Amino acid sequence: MYAMKYMSKAACIEKDAVRNVLREMDILMGLDHSFLVNLWFTFQDEEDLFVVVDLLLGGDFRYHLQQGIKFSEDVVRFYVGEIAMALEYLRTHRIIHRDIKPDNLLLDGKGHVHLTDFNVATVMEDENTLATSMSGTKPYMAPEIFKTSVGKLRGYSYEVDWWSLGISIFEILRGKRPYHISSNTNMSDIIQMFESSCLMFPSSWSKNFKDLVKKLLHIDPNIRLNSVEKLKECELMQSVNWESLYRKEITIPFTPSKDHLNCDPTYELEEMIIEPNPLHKKKKRLAKQNSNKVDTGNVQLTPMQMKLDTLGKKFKPYNREREKILKDQKNVNNFDDKKIPEEDDAASSELVELQNGVEVKEKTQPNETEDKISEEEKQVDVVEDDKDVARVTEETEIERKSFPNDKERLIEIAEKAKMSEDTEKSESLEREDIIDNKPEEIIDNDRKEVTIEDKESLLPNDKLDSEKHENRVSTV
């Protein structure tokens, strides 16, 4: 379940609150914390702006104080811890709330506190930036805000929220504020009050609680308690289990009543009786307005209508559920993007190793091929030699069969040798005749042309070779 509040566009424009409303929506869209009233949806129609937030049925501290509820130190110290964690979270987002008070501290059904109303909150550019505007509720505003407004200081920072926390817990525990300041009190009187008066504590308060309030309400912001780490050092807070408190696992001693609404029903009656444009009559009212627009046709817009159109364009619709889904998808995509390069690196390394393996294989392949070819040639040579040996052996066997007598075989061999010599001699003479009869010839040796004169210079050498050949034959 959620709580929904609606704001009249015309009322925001008339009160000059448009800027604050839009800024509050922008701030809440970026926040999500256990001890904040978180934004869930925003939308609008022709008349109103609608804001849907966490539903907290425990009421605010203002209501409980008005009902006369008395809170103990043990209860209040848990509230201090929870609000402190909310302020620490806001600081991480560079946000100063500037309006912490019992009215803006809401309780859920189990008694845990939640900070709401960022109407006057501001976002700092960096840690060195100072805020300067006079913003907040006077009785809860820190001394440096007043001093900045009169020109005594250059500005203020996150410490103002811790001062407001100190004023609030003082009022929650005692039932009234430590300084008598109202909206009509003059600023110079307020500054003098801070500088001259001292804090007065009830005698029933423990020393540890007094020390905590003194640290929160120190006039000097540089000495003031302003962080969870400093809060943990306080005697009153040392027994708190902070992890369990953040997860809301600690049972708060005070639980709001569930028998009735923890709010003033006067506001509901006021909305129904005094409100000129009540929500329950909106449907009929808008239908009538739309029909009037159709009947009158196109008319020139008034200044208010132009401002309403501008506000409608600037007001952003928001859906936390959709934003959460988009964020989860983005985180998954970022995770995949981070994972893919690693896989690419692994794949590329495997590819490099594979390429290296191929290169090594290619480098070794020629040698292996050559070795294989040489082995095959050797095998072929061996086979041919074996064939020659077999052929010679076969011929020898044939000769031996043809010539049983060795003498006859020798005579036959000599005759064959003489016939071979005569054949070679006749072929040599025929080659000499061809050379003499040819007038010109081209020899394809390194692509060179040879003329007839060059051939004639070669003829004597050819004749010498021929004579040598004849001598060799006769000698054989």
Side-chain angles (χ1 to χ4, degrees):
M1 291 172 51
Y2 303 96
M4 184 182 75
K5 72 174 181 178
Y6 66 100
M7 299 167 282
S8 170
K9 291 182 179 180
C12 291
I13 293 171
E14 291 172 356
K15 296 178 180 180
D16 196 21
V18 173
R19 180 173 174 270
N20 288 349
V21 170
L22 296 178
R23 179 175 56 191
E24 181 179 11
M25 295 303 102
D26 288 339
I27 291 174
L28 290 175
M29 287 177 188
L31 299 179
D32 185 10
H33 193 265
S34 298
F35 302 119
L36 297 179
V37 179
N38 298 297
L39 176 68
W40 284 91
F41 310 100
T42 62
F43 55 94
Q44 61 177 313
D45 61 13
E46 289 88 340
E47 290 183 341
D48 300 309
L49 305 174
F50 296 88
V51 179
V52 180
V53 297
D54 291 329
L55 175 62
L56 302 176
L57 298 175
D60 59 51
F61 278 100
R62 178 65 61 202
Y63 168 77
H64 292 295
L65 290 174
Q66 291 174 349
Q67 298 300 312
I69 302 295
K70 301 296 182 180
F71 295 94
S72 66
E73 291 183 7
D74 189 44
V75 174
V76 173
R77 73 188 184 107
F78 285 113
Y79 296 147
V80 173
E82 292 179 341
I83 299 169
M85 283 190 281
L87 294 180
E88 193 94 338
Y89 173 77
L90 293 180
R91 181 162 187 169
T92 60
H93 288 74
R94 306 193 310 275
I95 296 171
I96 305 177
H97 188 277
R98 297 198 295 192
D99 200 19
I100 294 176
K101 56 186 179 182
D103 311 67
N104 293 332
L105 299 175
L106 307 183
L107 297 176
D108 60 22
K110 295 182 178 179
H112 296 282
V113 66
H114 299 255
L115 180 59
T116 188
D117 194 355
F118 287 77
N119 189 39
V120 296
T122 185
V123 181
M124 312 299 286
E125 293 183 1
D126 53 50
E127 289 291 329
N128 299 322
T129 305
L130 296 176
T132 58
S133 66
M134 179 79 171
S135 300
T137 304
K138 269 190 178 181
Y140 303 92
M141 289 165 59
E144 55 265 32
I145 297 179
F146 297 104
K147 291 181 180 180
T148 300
S149 65
V150 298
K152 290 186 176 181
L153 290 177
R154 293 177 54 249
Y156 56 89
S157 189
Y158 304 96
E159 292 78 17
V160 299
D161 284 342
W162 295 84
W163 171 278
S164 301
L165 173 59
I167 298 292
S168 297
I169 65 170
F170 189 103
E171 183 177 9
I172 290 170
L173 189 59
R174 190 178 183 185
K176 63 179 182 179
R177 296 183 292 270
Y179 298 100
H180 300 286
I181 301 172
S182 66
S183 59
N184 297 324
T185 307
N186 186 278
M187 282 193 294
S188 59
D189 294 339
I190 295 173
I191 295 172
Q192 186 178 1
M193 188 184 303
F194 288 143
E195 293 176 348
S196 60
S197 62
C198 60
L199 289 172
M200 300 297 294
F201 299 101
S203 59
S204 60
W205 286 11
S206 68
K207 178 181 180 297
N208 291 338
F209 196 88
K210 292 178 183 178
D211 290 340
L212 173 61
V213 175
K214 286 180 181 179
K215 291 178 180 179
L216 288 171
L217 296 181
H218 202 287
I219 299 297
D220 189 350
N222 297 319
I223 302 175
R224 188 180 305 151
L225 191 155
N226 61 0
S227 69
V228 172
E229 290 301 320
K230 291 182 180 179
L231 183 61
K232 291 178 180 179
E233 297 173 0
C234 298
E235 291 289 337
L236 185 69
M237 309 300 294
Q238 287 184 356
S239 61
V240 175
N241 186 331
W242 292 89
E243 291 294 331
S244 299
L245 183 63
Y246 177 76
R247 294 192 296 266
K248 298 181 180 180
E249 296 174 352
I250 295 178
T251 301
I252 303 298
F254 173 76
T255 303
S257 175
K258 297 180 181 179
D259 298 334
H260 55 80
L261 291 175
N262 291 291
C263 63
D264 192 345
T266 305
Y267 296 111
E268 301 295 332
L269 294 173
E270 182 180 316
E271 197 277 330
M272 296 179 67
I273 298 171
I274 302 175
E275 173 65 36
N277 297 317
L279 192 61
H280 64 280
K281 294 183 179 180
K282 179 182 285 289
K283 184 176 181 181
K284 185 184 295 186
R285 187 170 59 252
L286 291 180
K288 185 177 180 180
Q289 290 177 1
N290 292 332
S291 63
N292 291 335
K293 288 180 181 179
V294 173
D295 295 338
T296 57
N298 294 328
V299 295
Q300 188 175 1
L301 296 176
T302 63
M304 174 58 76
Q305 289 173 333
M306 294 175 65
K307 291 180 180 179
L308 290 173
D309 289 343
T310 303
L311 175 57
K313 293 177 182 177
K314 289 184 177 180
F315 188 80
K316 301 175 184 177
Y318 178 74
N319 186 328
R320 181 178 291 274
E321 293 291 344
R322 181 180 61 194
E323 295 294 329
K324 185 177 180 181
I325 293 172
L326 294 175
K327 186 177 180 180
D328 292 341
Q329 290 177 351
K330 186 177 180 181
N331 291 335
V332 170
N333 293 335
N334 291 338
F335 177 76
D336 292 339
D337 292 341
K338 291 179 181 178
K339 189 176 180 181
I340 288 172
E342 297 178 358
E343 295 177 352
D344 290 342
D345 293 340
S348 61
S349 61
E350 292 178 359
L351 180 60
V352 170
E353 292 177 0
L354 182 60
Q355 290 176 348
N356 292 336
V358 171
E359 290 177 359
V360 171
K361 190 174 181 180
E362 289 178 352
K363 290 180 180 178
T364 57
Q365 188 67 27
N367 295 332
E368 295 176 357
T369 306
E370 292 175 0
D371 295 340
K372 188 174 181 181
I373 292 172
S374 60
E375 290 178 359
E376 290 178 353
E377 289 178 350
K378 289 179 181 180
Q379 292 177 358
V380 171
D381 293 340
V382 170
V383 171
E384 290 179 351
D385 291 342
D386 293 341
K387 289 181 179 180
D388 292 341
V389 170
R391 179 174 53 78
V392 171
T393 304
E394 185 178 357
E395 291 177 353
T396 305
E397 291 296 329
I398 293 171
E399 290 176 353
R400 286 181 178 175
K401 290 179 181 178
S402 303
F403 306 100
N405 193 348
D406 292 338
K407 184 176 181 180
E408 293 178 357
R409 183 169 61 82
L410 291 174
I411 293 170
E412 180 65 24
I413 290 172
E415 290 179 354
K416 286 183 178 181
K418 186 175 181 182
M419 290 174 63
S420 175
E421 289 175 0
D422 294 339
T423 304
E424 288 178 1
K425 185 174 180 181
S426 61
E427 289 176 356
S428 177
L429 292 174
E430 290 177 359
R431 188 164 53 251
E432 289 177 2
D433 294 337
I434 290 170
I435 291 173
D436 291 338
N437 295 330
K438 270 192 175 182
E440 189 175 1
E441 177 178 83
I442 297 176
I443 299 175
D444 188 9
N445 183 15
D446 295 333
R447 311 294 295 178
K448 292 181 181 180
E449 293 185 357
V450 181
T451 59
I452 189 68
E453 289 83 3
D454 295 330
K455 293 174 186 176
E456 289 178 354
S457 63
L458 293 173
L459 286 177
N461 294 329
D462 292 338
K463 290 181 180 181
L464 290 174
D465 293 338
S466 177
E467 292 176 356
K468 289 179 181 179
H469 181 70
E470 290 177 358
N471 293 332
R472 180 176 58 80
V473 172
S474 61
T475 303
V476 173

